[in-house]
Amino acid sequence: MAMEVGFLGLGIMGKAMATNLLRNGFKVTVWNRTLSKCDELVEHGASIGETPAAVAKKCKCIIAMLSDPSAALSVVFDKDGVLEEICHGKGYIDMSTVDADTSLKISEAIISKGGHFLEAPVSGSKKPAEDGQLVILAAGEKALYEEAILAFNVLGKKSFFLGQVGNGAKMKLVVNMIMGSMMNAFSEGLVLAGNSGLDPHTLLDVLDLGAIANPMFKLKGPTMIQSSYSPAFPLKHQQKDMRLALALGDENAVSMPVAAAANEAFKKARSLGLGDLDFSAVHETVKDLHYPS
Amino acid sequence: MAMEVGFLGLGIMGKAMATNLLRNGFKVTVWNRTLSKCDELVEHGASIGETPAAVAKKCKCIIAMLSDPSAALSVVFDKDGVLEEICHGKGYIDMSTVDADTSLKISEAIISKGGHFLEAPVSGSKKPAEDGQLVILAAGEKALYEEAILAFNVLGKKSFFLGQVGNGAKMKLVVNMIMGSMMNAFSEGLVLAGNSGLDPHTLLDVLDLGAIANPMFKLKGPTMIQSSYSPAFPLKHQQKDMRLALALGDENAVSMPVAAAANEAFKKARSLGLGDLDFSAVHETVKDLHYPS
Amino acid sequence: MAMEVGFLGLGIMGKAMATNLLRNGFKVTVWNRTLSKCDELVEHGASIGETPAAVAKKCKCIIAMLSDPSAALSVVFDKDGVLEEICHGKGYIDMSTVDADTSLKISEAIISKGGHFLEAPVSGSKKPAEDGQLVILAAGEKALYEEAILAFNVLGKKSFFLGQVGNGAKMKLVVNMIMGSMMNAFSEGLVLAGNSGLDPHTLLDVLDLGAIANPMFKLKGPTMIQSSYSPAFPLKHQQKDMRLALALGDENAVSMPVAAAANEAFKKARSLGLGDLDFSAVHETVKDLHYPS
Amino acid sequence: MAMEVGFLGLGIMGKAMATNLLRNGFKVTVWNRTLSKCDELVEHGASIGETPAAVAKKCKCIIAMLSDPSAALSVVFDKDGVLEEICHGKGYIDMSTVDADTSLKISEAIISKGGHFLEAPVSGSKKPAEDGQLVILAAGEKALYEEAILAFNVLGKKSFFLGQVGNGAKMKLVVNMIMGSMMNAFSEGLVLAGNSGLDPHTLLDVLDLGAIANPMFKLKGPTMIQSSYSPAFPLKHQQKDMRLALALGDENAVSMPVAAAANEAFKKARSLGLGDLDFSAVHETVKDLHYPS
């Protein structure tokens, strides 16, 4: 018999994920702040819940995929929020990318009502979400993780259980910190190549054949050379993750000079007005900037 | 009819490369400073030249694979060196990793005698050399490159012609600079994960599934977690390449704050006595060091 | 007629400041968490208040000099705190070093009761406090600043009115950030001199004659050369101020790569266990550290 | 009886220094590449030498103050250079700012002819040169230093003997490195203050009253706030000194992350076209740059 799940949040990611659940035989009750966004899901067989509370009342397991910490808090704590109906025997899985503190706050509230909680941020953006190829970084109650594994197998190519609440958020920060530093190293290399008389396209070809070949260089390199930065992952979000990763290092007395230098470059990019572009736009800070005379 | 080539330098890389040429039907005359190292190649069908000059006299095309700039200069300029016999119609291909200045000096000497010159440093170490899977970064005379392409196809999976002499060396520096910064970002991530209560092995698994998955993380990660740094690419050489890449940036007014921070970390590693270990030993500088009381 | 002031907090700084007020004809009612610390002040003519509330009830103007944000909040908000007795016509001047948020929280509470508020953190430590040579960075209500100017003239050599609440805290962060970066630059110079065969003492002499001569280099240099770091300003507090200054930059999109590098060096010092020593102990991170074999 | 000295190089610094010697009773024979520049000195009582060789022939002690390493080498090694007439019993004192290698090369040549050599770069620019308030960083032959002390006492407020040739150059690099990092820290502080709603002029006042008060902040601060960078010490020279200091650190395995970050900021300033302005123009790199749309 198909498992029944609630799904809160139908943005780019949430819509793709809920669709995948429906296609794979799950019964899904959806809710979105703008309810009209639910219509397309209904065509695929979804039911609609009028409020987060209504979804929580109807379903034993509720998945949330919200855009940021304030939205994640809002669907739980606001009027008609999840907290009004969560109770013993129900599970709440927050797959939004939030900081460890937000996650902990939601966890405590859910548990205080007798519910079960799992944070499960994902690695991967629109395309992997559509293809069910996300990587899921779950943490919280192991039993709920085991219940959710069927759903996770539909949504992602791999899921990890990382222990206590907060560890999912932390793991994501570590990965994004490495990614941000790499993006800076890559940008510096592209500009150094170009300004030294080498063809940056050839650099891409050489990189792609060697020990540091990776999908990000391959995907972003050609558009970066064209100074095209259509936002897949906005620079301001990448910078925020660098900041949070450095703060995590500060708590644990880990000195990270390369991440710190990368973070300042992302800040410089923000000060140039590039915060809403793709994080690869940090490339612009390495180029010769025009000095306003 | 098989092409005849001279091969100078039978270190780890040179021996593997000369062997590949022999296995693929080339007639090869080898020379090495310690001549006894030639014996194994003779078993595979190689002839021996007593001196670099003797090899240059006998062969139309001479490939050199020496350990460093001073060795690269020595086989050309010393007594019984290549310069004594190089002449119109002969080609000299230096595949050693040297700086652009050394390359240029050799190029000018060869050309002044009527010879042709190609610098062709490689990306890849022992294993790719044995498997004929190097990436070859050639620059200099295009006509010689075209003559050498059959040999390059045996030695590498891909070769590039990059224009004027010096561009091969520069391309290699750019790639190694990106690699060095990435190694630092990776090290910071591993320590941040560990000190924040996450399992670094899980970080490796998560990284390997995402957009920044790359062979270096996969290969080096497990040994770094064990603090094992058997030298594939010595840290002091990586730091030298960072320094040269930063100097190239200095010449061209390219500011590279992330590479600069990575370079200082490699220097710190040198000051800890880690220069002869693998470049991944920069990982140790991120860890909690012991303070000598 | 002498002005009557309350004084909360008799640590190293507070005791010196209250003593100065008494010596200059102010009537002072003191309170300290450990009341016995008040005795010495009583010998100089002070009265004792049993609680912060008692001091606030008795005095028109109350000065606080607490060790950290939590102590600063505690004397206001806890039972028997200032808030119980502050009222229309009374002024509260917090001279503790706290972040802008803490300052704002106290300000709002005081004002909501009809009181007046001034934050007035100081630049200078024990000696300047004793000598009445502090620099006072006041912000909040201008009228209260003007009332307090007689007291400020006794406590400091100079006071500034910086506008709205929070600006005092911010100004102090900016100054401490510059100081922290300078301390790193100085440490790097001392080690570079020593490791390059120059006498660091001579470096001190040369510095003291030039354009960057400053009291800090003159005071700290000789003890740093002896690796002596008796804490005047603990390293962990300096690092906290670097972190807060960088966070202030983050809010305002100011990229500060030198401060960021200095901050990471202070973190490295913390990871070496030097957090409780003087902030000049960052010098140790630049030296050759011992690698635990 | 007055000592007789030769003086080579009458740029801004040299002219002021030679004038001081004349005013203090020294007999001085001057030479300058553009001989007409000698006229003003002749009015003060100087003799003219037609060539460096002529000056060396006439005088027992020759002081040189040239603009850069190539000029310093030229007056010694070129036709009609000092080397043609230097001999046993004569002393050559090069007060130009050159690198250790150039200094060593000149030293060896002078000594090979039986002459004595001292490098003696100075700290201080035009005004201190005119006022006889330079700081002199001498290294080389102690006996010559002792002979020259009367002249040094006229030219500077203090002179140091630092040991072997090269140490003068190194000491100057260390001082300039600290200065360059401080200028960056100062610039970051000015921009952070301004962008956080504080008056940068007040920051200058606060700084000038505290532990890090120094002549450079006091002198440069007001012009930096006005974005006025009339070159006293050109940024490109400051950046060159940072680079050389970092190279000295590289040789001695001293990791200097703050200096490295400062160096990259100076490079960024060069890439903005600010290399010929005063080194304080690095301030512009911290400000919000315009992004060319």
Side-chain angles (χ1 to χ4, degrees):
Chain A
M1 196 200 80
M3 190 173 157
E4 180 149 8
V5 300
F7 204 104
L8 309 178
L10 298 173
I12 292 171
M13 296 292 287
K15 188 177 133 189
M17 292 160 74
T19 304
N20 270 336
L21 289 170
L22 287 163
R23 283 186 181 145
N24 284 275
F26 285 81
K27 295 176 72 173
V28 185
T29 299
V30 299
W31 169 88
N32 192 65
R33 189 162 300 274
T34 311
L35 273 176
S36 61
K37 282 206 180 172
C38 297
D39 295 349
E40 199 179 327
L41 276 291
V42 170
E43 288 171 29
H44 287 90
S47 309
I48 294 184
E50 295 290 317
T51 63
V55 175
K57 184 169 188 179
K58 185 174 172 196
C59 306
K60 192 165 170 286
C61 176
I62 306 104
I63 295 174
M65 187 65 181
L66 288 320
S67 59
D68 56 32
S70 80
L73 291 165
S74 172
V75 299
V76 173
F77 292 98
D78 283 3
K79 185 168 165 0
D80 297 324
V82 168
L83 215 53
E84 296 179 4
E85 295 291 344
I86 200 84
C87 60
H88 184 76
K90 295 198 181 225
Y92 186 70
I93 303 174
D94 194 342
M95 302 186 75
S96 320
T97 290
V98 301
D99 55 291
D101 282 351
T102 299
S103 215
L104 205 60
K105 200 167 165 187
I106 296 173
S107 172
E108 285 169 359
I110 298 290
I111 290 169
S112 74
K113 294 278 186 169
H116 303 286
F117 180 76
L118 208 58
E119 68 171 352
V122 301
S123 174
S125 53
K126 191 187 176 191
K127 190 72 169 47
E130 290 172 347
D131 298 346
Q133 294 291 306
L134 296 167
V135 176
I136 296 165
L137 306 172
E141 288 180 66
K142 189 71 183 285
L144 180 53
Y145 173 75
E146 278 157 9
E147 272 181 60
I149 197 76
L150 284 178
F152 288 167
N153 286 346
V154 164
L155 298 172
K157 61 182 168 186
K158 174 81 179 168
S159 66
F160 294 89
F161 182 75
L162 301 169
Q164 65 188 19
V165 170
N167 283 356
K170 287 178 188 175
M171 184 61 85
K172 197 160 177 206
L173 283 183
V174 175
V175 171
N176 280 6
M177 179 197 79
I178 298 174
M179 183 171 74
S181 292
M182 275 175 65
M183 179 50 83
N184 272 273
F186 185 44
S187 296
E188 291 180 1
L190 284 171
V191 177
L192 180 59
N195 288 21
S196 306
L198 303 172
D199 182 346
H201 290 96
T202 308
L203 173 61
L204 297 186
D205 291 341
V206 173
L207 286 170
D208 199 44
L209 290 160
I212 56 175
N214 66 84
M216 181 176 80
F217 287 3
K218 202 178 174 77
L219 179 70
K220 301 280 185 187
T223 51
M224 288 167 73
I225 291 173
Q226 295 165 48
S227 302
S228 166
Y229 308 109
S230 177
F233 181 39
L235 190 142
K236 64 186 177 192
H237 293 169
Q238 169 70 73
Q239 195 261 317
K240 185 200 63 188
D241 285 355
M242 295 301 286
R243 178 205 311 148
L244 293 173
L246 284 160
L248 186 61
D250 204 325
E251 272 174 50
N252 294 288
V254 181
S255 174
M256 302 187 291
V258 166
N263 186 36
E264 297 307 313
F266 282 121
K267 281 192 207 166
K268 177 55 79 181
R270 274 179 49 213
S271 85
L272 288 167
L274 309 176
D276 292 321
L277 297 185
D278 190 64
F279 77 116
S280 54
V282 75
H283 183 222
E284 293 296 314
T285 68
V286 190
K287 292 186 190 172
D288 293 355
L289 297 167
H290 290 218
Y291 178 63
S293 55
Chain B
M1 196 200 80
M3 191 174 157
E4 180 150 6
V5 301
F7 203 103
L8 310 177
L10 298 174
I12 293 172
M13 296 293 287
K15 187 176 134 190
M17 292 160 72
T19 304
N20 270 336
L21 289 170
L22 287 163
R23 283 186 182 144
N24 284 274
F26 285 80
K27 294 175 72 172
V28 185
T29 300
V30 300
W31 169 89
N32 192 64
R33 188 162 298 274
T34 312
L35 273 177
S36 61
K37 282 206 181 173
C38 297
D39 296 349
E40 199 181 326
L41 275 292
V42 170
E43 288 172 28
H44 287 89
S47 309
I48 294 185
E50 295 290 316
T51 63
V55 174
K57 184 169 187 180
K58 185 174 174 198
C59 305
K60 191 163 171 289
C61 176
I62 305 103
I63 295 174
M65 189 65 181
L66 289 319
S67 60
D68 57 31
S70 79
L73 290 165
S74 171
V75 300
V76 172
F77 292 100
D78 282 3
K79 184 167 166 0
D80 297 324
V82 167
L83 216 54
E84 295 180 2
E85 295 291 343
I86 200 83
C87 60
H88 185 76
K90 296 199 180 223
Y92 186 71
I93 303 174
D94 193 343
M95 301 186 76
S96 319
T97 290
V98 299
D99 55 290
D101 283 350
T102 299
S103 216
L104 205 60
K105 200 168 165 185
I106 297 173
S107 171
E108 285 168 358
I110 299 291
I111 290 171
S112 74
K113 294 277 186 170
H116 303 286
F117 181 77
L118 208 57
E119 67 170 352
V122 302
S123 174
S125 52
K126 190 186 176 193
K127 189 72 168 48
E130 291 172 346
D131 299 345
Q133 294 291 306
L134 296 167
V135 177
I136 296 165
L137 307 172
E141 288 180 66
K142 188 71 182 284
L144 180 53
Y145 174 75
E146 278 157 9
E147 273 181 60
I149 197 76
L150 285 177
F152 288 166
N153 286 348
V154 164
L155 299 171
K157 62 182 168 185
K158 175 81 179 171
S159 65
F160 294 90
F161 181 76
L162 301 170
Q164 65 189 19
V165 171
N167 283 357
K170 287 178 187 174
M171 183 62 85
K172 200 162 174 206
L173 284 183
V174 175
V175 171
N176 280 7
M177 179 196 78
I178 298 174
M179 183 171 74
S181 293
M182 276 174 64
M183 179 50 83
N184 272 273
F186 185 45
S187 296
E188 291 179 1
L190 284 171
V191 177
L192 180 58
N195 288 21
S196 305
L198 302 172
D199 182 345
H201 291 95
T202 307
L203 174 60
L204 297 186
D205 291 342
V206 173
L207 286 170
D208 199 44
L209 290 160
I212 55 175
N214 66 84
M216 181 176 80
F217 288 3
K218 203 178 173 79
L219 179 69
K220 301 279 184 187
T223 51
M224 289 167 71
I225 291 173
Q226 295 165 49
S227 302
S228 165
Y229 308 109
S230 176
F233 181 39
L235 190 142
K236 64 186 177 190
H237 293 169
Q238 169 69 72
Q239 195 260 316
K240 184 200 64 187
D241 284 354
M242 295 300 287
R243 178 204 311 149
L244 292 174
L246 284 161
L248 186 63
D250 205 324
E251 273 174 49
N252 294 288
V254 181
S255 173
M256 301 188 291
V258 167
N263 186 36
E264 297 307 313
F266 283 121
K267 280 191 209 168
K268 177 56 77 181
R270 274 178 50 213
S271 84
L272 289 167
L274 310 175
D276 291 321
L277 298 185
D278 190 63
F279 76 116
S280 55
V282 75
H283 183 222
E284 293 297 313
T285 69
V286 190
K287 292 186 189 172
D288 293 356
L289 296 166
H290 289 217
Y291 177 62
S293 56
Chain C
M1 195 200 82
M3 191 174 158
E4 181 149 8
V5 299
F7 203 103
L8 309 178
L10 298 173
I12 292 171
M13 295 293 287
K15 188 178 134 189
M17 291 160 74
T19 304
N20 270 337
L21 289 171
L22 287 163
R23 283 187 182 145
N24 284 273
F26 284 79
K27 296 177 70 173
V28 186
T29 301
V30 299
W31 169 88
N32 192 65
R33 189 163 299 273
T34 311
L35 273 177
S36 61
K37 282 206 180 172
C38 298
D39 295 349
E40 199 180 327
L41 275 293
V42 170
E43 288 172 28
H44 287 91
S47 310
I48 295 184
E50 295 291 315
T51 63
V55 175
K57 184 169 186 180
K58 184 175 174 197
C59 305
K60 192 166 169 286
C61 177
I62 306 104
I63 294 173
M65 188 66 181
L66 289 320
S67 59
D68 57 31
S70 80
L73 290 165
S74 172
V75 300
V76 173
F77 291 98
D78 282 4
K79 185 169 163 1
D80 297 324
V82 168
L83 215 55
E84 294 179 4
E85 295 290 344
I86 199 83
C87 60
H88 184 76
K90 296 199 180 220
Y92 187 71
I93 303 174
D94 193 343
M95 301 186 76
S96 319
T97 290
V98 301
D99 55 289
D101 282 351
T102 298
S103 214
L104 205 60
K105 199 168 165 187
I106 296 174
S107 172
E108 285 168 0
I110 298 291
I111 289 170
S112 74
K113 294 277 187 170
H116 304 286
F117 181 77
L118 209 57
E119 68 171 352
V122 302
S123 175
S125 52
K126 191 186 176 191
K127 189 72 168 49
E130 290 172 348
D131 300 345
Q133 294 290 307
L134 296 167
V135 176
I136 296 164
L137 306 173
E141 287 181 68
K142 189 70 183 285
L144 180 53
Y145 174 75
E146 277 156 10
E147 272 181 59
I149 197 77
L150 284 177
F152 287 166
N153 286 347
V154 164
L155 299 173
K157 61 181 168 186
K158 175 82 179 170
S159 66
F160 294 90
F161 181 75
L162 301 170
Q164 66 189 20
V165 171
N167 283 356
K170 287 177 187 175
M171 183 62 85
K172 197 160 178 208
L173 284 184
V174 175
V175 171
N176 280 7
M177 179 197 79
I178 298 174
M179 183 171 74
S181 292
M182 276 175 63
M183 179 49 84
N184 272 273
F186 185 45
S187 298
E188 291 180 0
L190 285 171
V191 177
L192 179 59
N195 288 21
S196 306
L198 302 172
D199 182 346
H201 291 96
T202 308
L203 174 61
L204 296 186
D205 292 340
V206 173
L207 286 171
D208 200 44
L209 290 160
I212 56 175
N214 66 83
M216 180 176 80
F217 287 3
K218 202 178 172 78
L219 180 69
K220 301 280 184 186
T223 50
M224 288 166 72
I225 291 173
Q226 294 165 49
S227 302
S228 166
Y229 309 108
S230 176
F233 181 39
L235 190 141
K236 65 186 176 190
H237 293 170
Q238 169 69 74
Q239 195 261 317
K240 183 201 64 187
D241 285 354
M242 294 301 286
R243 178 205 310 149
L244 293 173
L246 284 161
L248 186 60
D250 204 324
E251 272 174 52
N252 294 288
V254 181
S255 173
M256 302 188 291
V258 167
N263 185 37
E264 297 307 313
F266 284 120
K267 281 191 209 169
K268 177 54 78 180
R270 274 178 50 213
S271 85
L272 288 166
L274 310 175
D276 291 321
L277 297 185
D278 190 63
F279 76 115
S280 54
V282 75
H283 183 222
E284 293 297 314
T285 68
V286 190
K287 292 186 189 172
D288 292 355
L289 297 166
H290 290 217
Y291 178 62
S293 55
Chain D
M1 194 199 83
M3 190 173 158
E4 181 149 6
V5 301
F7 204 102
L8 309 178
L10 299 174
I12 292 172
M13 295 294 285
K15 188 177 133 188
M17 292 160 72
T19 304
N20 270 337
L21 288 171
L22 287 165
R23 281 187 182 144
N24 283 275
F26 285 80
K27 294 176 73 173
V28 185
T29 300
V30 298
W31 170 89
N32 192 66
R33 187 163 300 274
T34 311
L35 274 177
S36 61
K37 281 206 180 172
C38 297
D39 296 348
E40 200 180 325
L41 275 292
V42 169
E43 287 172 28
H44 287 89
S47 309
I48 294 185
E50 294 291 316
T51 63
V55 174
K57 183 170 188 180
K58 185 174 173 195
C59 305
K60 191 165 170 287
C61 176
I62 305 103
I63 295 174
M65 188 64 181
L66 289 320
S67 59
D68 58 31
S70 80
L73 291 166
S74 172
V75 301
V76 172
F77 292 98
D78 281 4
K79 184 167 165 2
D80 297 324
V82 167
L83 216 53
E84 295 180 3
E85 294 290 345
I86 200 84
C87 60
H88 184 77
K90 297 202 180 218
Y92 187 71
I93 303 174
D94 194 343
M95 301 186 76
S96 320
T97 291
V98 300
D99 54 291
D101 283 351
T102 298
S103 216
L104 206 60
K105 200 169 165 185
I106 296 174
S107 172
E108 285 169 358
I110 298 292
I111 290 170
S112 74
K113 294 278 186 170
H116 304 286
F117 180 77
L118 209 57
E119 69 171 352
V122 301
S123 175
S125 52
K126 191 185 175 191
K127 190 72 170 47
E130 289 173 347
D131 300 345
Q133 293 292 305
L134 296 167
V135 176
I136 295 165
L137 307 173
E141 288 179 68
K142 189 70 182 286
L144 180 53
Y145 173 74
E146 279 156 8
E147 271 180 62
I149 197 77
L150 285 178
F152 288 166
N153 286 347
V154 164
L155 298 172
K157 61 182 168 187
K158 175 82 179 168
S159 65
F160 293 89
F161 181 75
L162 301 170
Q164 66 189 22
V165 171
N167 282 358
K170 286 177 187 174
M171 184 61 85
K172 199 162 176 206
L173 283 184
V174 174
V175 171
N176 281 6
M177 179 197 79
I178 298 174
M179 183 172 74
S181 292
M182 275 175 63
M183 179 50 83
N184 272 274
F186 185 45
S187 297
E188 291 179 1
L190 285 171
V191 177
L192 180 58
N195 287 22
S196 305
L198 303 171
D199 182 346
H201 290 96
T202 307
L203 173 61
L204 297 186
D205 292 341
V206 174
L207 286 171
D208 199 44
L209 290 160
I212 55 174
N214 66 84
M216 180 175 80
F217 287 2
K218 203 178 172 79
L219 179 70
K220 302 279 184 187
T223 51
M224 288 167 72
I225 291 172
Q226 295 165 47
S227 302
S228 166
Y229 309 108
S230 177
F233 181 39
L235 190 141
K236 64 186 176 189
H237 292 168
Q238 169 70 73
Q239 194 260 317
K240 184 200 64 187
D241 285 354
M242 295 301 286
R243 179 205 310 149
L244 293 173
L246 284 161
L248 186 62
D250 204 324
E251 272 174 51
N252 295 288
V254 181
S255 174
M256 301 187 291
V258 167
N263 185 37
E264 296 308 312
F266 283 121
K267 281 191 208 168
K268 177 54 80 181
R270 273 177 51 211
S271 85
L272 288 166
L274 310 175
D276 291 321
L277 297 185
D278 190 64
F279 77 116
S280 54
V282 75
H283 183 222
E284 293 296 314
T285 68
V286 191
K287 293 186 188 172
D288 292 354
L289 297 167
H290 290 218
Y291 178 62
S293 56

